[in-house]
Amino acid sequence: MQTKTTATYDFFLPDYLNASHPPERRGLRRDQVRMMVLDRETGRVGHDHFIRLENYLNPGDVLVLNNSRTIPAALKADWMRDGKVIGTDIELRLARKRAGAVWEVLATQQNVKTGDCFKISEKLEAEVIGEVLKSPLKIMQFTLQGEKFYDAIYSVGYPVRYEYIEVPWELDYYQTVFASQPGSIEMPSAGRAFTWEMLMKLQGKGIKLVYLQLHTGLGYLLDDLNPHSPEDLYEEYSINQEAMDEILKAKAGGRKIIAGGTTVVRALETAAAESTLNGWTNLYVDSEYQLQLVDGIITGFHEPKASHLDMLTAFINENGLFEAYAAAIKNNYLWHEFGDINLII
């Protein structure tokens, strides 16, 4: 099977458009961020605020949200080889749980070898037991698993942060208000701008809210020279039958299904394609993909060459998308998980 490549869509993003602070620390409520609205049929670009989302949805439409909760997936450790400490304060980033106490992990230090050990705390250590093919990820066996493992990382870990984040914000800033199922390495950020007040207003208008889980993996592997295909990123998802019944009923009735983020698109379209409500997905959505369930998407603004841009071309043609992104830059929309919102409907 031909391996898909990541997006090649490139553009210049000024540094000042990288949102380094959560809206709450910029004097705004979460739902007061700006929203660029992109009409799938006409390509028309509109400008609004997220708090007025209800004006773009109709009674009976279904809004699907990912309630996976972000875990403290970044850990500091002493690096040991043959019983000797050869490095301190090394950052490890959990990437994906394989089974039991075995995880795929990104070590931010180079030259980590099979057999090396990392001492994270008095209770938690990890041994490198293998490598992931064509990837910088290592396979590590931890000394704890299950609830004890999570107790240990919650006591010493912190959220994965990228270079545009200048302040070590606490884990709570990386959660949606409806997050309930721990497991995401990176925040499913499209849902971050929702508040309970907004969700109640949407329900009051007759818009259905349903939830699923997709535990996000580690999206960036510090390897710009060897970009990884989205098909290499496997993420675990789960949709309950009641939620899917609600979605299918609305779809059959001509209502719109709106995905709260790219993670929801991956989960729903995988479920539709493979007729299974639980499992792992490496679905790669691009302009050639025919969406089966999802009619619109709420998402953030994605950095140059991000594979998420490929997914957006399944909703609107490339020219329309990049004219809209040019407008977003011109109008100073903010990028990344603490930034503004893009509604494509």
Side-chain angles (χ1 to χ4, degrees), residues 76-81 84-91 109 117-119:
K76 288 291 179 67
D78 288 341
W79 179 17
M80 306 179 72
R81 180 174 295 163
K84 298 179 180 178
V85 176
I86 60 172
T88 59
D89 211 28
I90 306 299
E91 182 171 303
Q109 188 75 22
C117 292
F118 289 91
K119 183 177 177 61

Side-chain angles (χ1 to χ4, degrees), residues 22-315:
E24 307 94 289
R25 303 303 291 262
R26 305 197 306 263
L28 301 173
R29 291 201 317 260
R30 291 178 174 223
D31 54 13
Q32 291 177 319
V33 295
R34 300 172 67 204
M35 177 172 69
M36 185 175 77
V37 182
L38 187 49
D39 188 306
R40 288 186 64 180
E41 294 184 1
T42 66
R44 188 180 70 83
V45 175
H47 305 284
D48 209 328
H49 285 81
F50 188 62
I51 197 169
R52 288 196 279 271
L53 174 66
E54 65 179 281
N55 295 337
Y56 300 90
L57 305 180
N58 295 311
D61 290 347
V62 177
L63 174 59
V64 189
L65 300 169
N66 181 6
N67 65 7
S68 176
R69 192 169 183 84
T70 312
I71 63 173
L75 308 165
K76 288 291 179 67
D78 288 341
W79 179 17
M80 306 179 72
R81 180 174 295 163
D82 299 327
K84 298 179 180 178
V85 176
I86 60 172
T88 59
D89 211 28
I90 306 299
E91 182 171 303
L92 305 177
R93 295 177 182 176
L94 302 176
R96 181 169 78 98
K97 181 181 175 182
R98 284 201 161 192
V102 177
W103 287 71
E104 294 177 7
V105 180
L106 177 70
T108 55
Q109 188 75 22
Q110 293 185 344
N111 301 320
V112 172
K113 300 179 179 179
T114 298
D116 287 354
C117 292
F118 289 91
K119 183 177 177 61
I120 300 157
S121 71
E122 290 301 319
K123 297 181 179 179
L124 185 63
E125 297 183 14
E127 179 183 357
V128 182
I129 61 173
E131 299 188 0
V132 179
L133 187 64
K134 298 179 181 178
S135 168
L137 296 176
K138 308 296 182 185
I139 303 171
M140 296 193 188
Q141 171 89 47
F142 287 84
T143 51
L144 298 173
Q145 62 177 309
E147 186 176 339
K148 291 182 179 178
F149 173 80
Y150 285 103
D151 286 344
I153 67 169
Y154 270 88
S155 67
V156 298
Y158 51 93
V160 172
R161 308 182 187 105
Y162 292 115
E163 69 281 357
Y164 52 84
I165 299 297
E166 301 167 352
V167 176
W169 305 111
E170 296 295 324
L171 184 62
D172 284 349
Y173 284 107
Y174 292 83
Q175 307 292 1
T176 61
V177 297
F178 45 79
S180 60
Q181 303 294 325
S184 277
I185 304 301
E186 298 178 354
M187 175 173 59
S189 56
R192 192 188 186 283
F194 284 100
T195 58
W196 287 117
E197 178 185 4
M198 225 184 127
L199 293 171
M200 291 176 65
K201 282 174 62 179
L202 290 166
Q203 285 184 302
K205 186 175 176 176
I207 295 154
K208 306 291 185 182
L209 304 180
V210 302
Y211 297 89
L212 55 74
Q213 290 107 49
L214 182 142
H215 295 316
T216 67
L218 187 62
Y220 179 51
L221 304 184
L222 304 176
D223 189 8
D224 292 329
L225 297 178
N226 300 290
H228 303 278
S229 168
E231 291 180 322
D232 295 330
L233 179 62
Y234 285 81
E235 295 175 317
E236 188 175 16
Y237 74 94
S238 176
I239 308 169
N240 68 48
Q241 188 64 58
E242 184 179 352
M244 183 56 82
D245 289 345
E246 190 80 65
I247 291 165
L248 295 176
K249 178 182 175 183
K251 189 77 177 177
R255 303 303 184 186
K256 289 183 177 177
I257 310 301
I258 309 300
T262 58
T263 60
V264 172
V265 175
R266 288 188 100 192
L268 286 182
E269 293 297 326
T270 299
E274 300 185 4
S275 301
T276 178
L277 298 181
N278 300 279
W280 293 82
T281 177
N282 67 334
L283 182 66
Y284 179 50
V285 176
D286 64 5
S287 60
E288 298 178 2
Y289 189 89
Q290 297 297 313
L291 296 164
Q292 296 186 51
L293 286 179
V294 180
D295 300 294
I297 182 172
I298 296 166
T299 185
F301 288 93
H302 303 291
E303 64 270 27
K305 298 185 178 180
S307 62
H308 290 318
L309 294 170
D310 286 343
M311 179 183 287
L312 300 190
T313 61
F315 291 88

